Amino acid sequence: MTHAISRPNPTMAEKIASIDALCARARIMPVITIAREEDILPLADALDAGGLQVLEITLRSAHGLTAIRRLREERPHLCVGAGTVLDRHMLDAVEKAGAQFIVSPGSTDELLRAALDSPVPMLPGVSSASDLMIGYALGYRRFKLFPAEICGGTAALKALGGPFGDVRFCPTGGVNPDNLQRYMALANVMCVGGSWMLDSSAGWDSVRRTSAEALALLN
Ligand SMILES: O=C[C@H](O)COP(=O)(O)O
Ligand SMILES: CC(=O)C(=O)O
């Protein structure tokens, strides 16, 4: 008979370190909604070939959980997270599917507390200082600013850096090749998220090229 050794969940400090590591690896995090199951692997491969290896797969389509599960099994070198996680049930489902990180567009007390009990690190969405303070009080220090351009863009991030000097952000929503460098120049921005590189109407190679061009802007 074997005895499983139960490992305690990571501490918040360990989760913050995981988020920092994956954001440093990402620099640009594609926010992906899978429209057709057959797109899962070619889309991920095109992003990977363009240099984007940290993928946020949203639960906005019926294929989100399948995509997380398949990419974890079939592309284990990628870092695969779940986006649009809105409640405890979705959090449980993406954890079971193998998500390596969890992203939400906003914050609720229920979701933030559920994620404290999860082994998977979470990047909660915030759009204001008040949202941020709710997560901050629970120990969170890394957030997604969403929708970044609408809630003040780089000016908002500079202002939030005053009272929240130990907080870092992944701005998402309206980030594109024209403003990417301005976001990444800020000390409190660890990476950016976006979907501009995901237009596959010109083929998978166009996804690869757009991804590589965006990363080249950061060199
Ligand atoms: O809902 C937000 C998107 O997933 C990411 O924002 P974007 O499309 O403006 O890049
Ligand atoms: C916006 C985003 O990152 C999400 O839907 O989780």
Side-chain angles (χ1 to χ4, degrees), residues 31-33 58 60 146 172-175 193-196:
V31 181
I32 303 165
T33 300
T58 74
R60 298 179 204 181
F146 179 78
T172 300
V175 179
S195 66
W196 76 89

Side-chain angles (χ1 to χ4, degrees), residues 157-175:
L157 287 160
K158 279 183 204 159
L160 289 167
F164 305 107
D166 57 347
V167 166
R168 301 282 177 273
F169 298 91
C170 168
T172 300
V175 179

Side-chain angles (χ1 to χ4, degrees), residues 27-31 56 144-145 148 169-176 180 184 189 191-197:
R27 297 196 290 161
I28 299 170
M29 194 184 298
V31 181
E56 178 186 330
K144 164 158 287 201
L145 181 70
F169 298 91
C170 168
T172 300
V175 179
N176 59 53
L180 178 62
M184 288 297 278
V189 169
C191 68
V192 296
S195 66
W196 76 89
M197 75 299 284

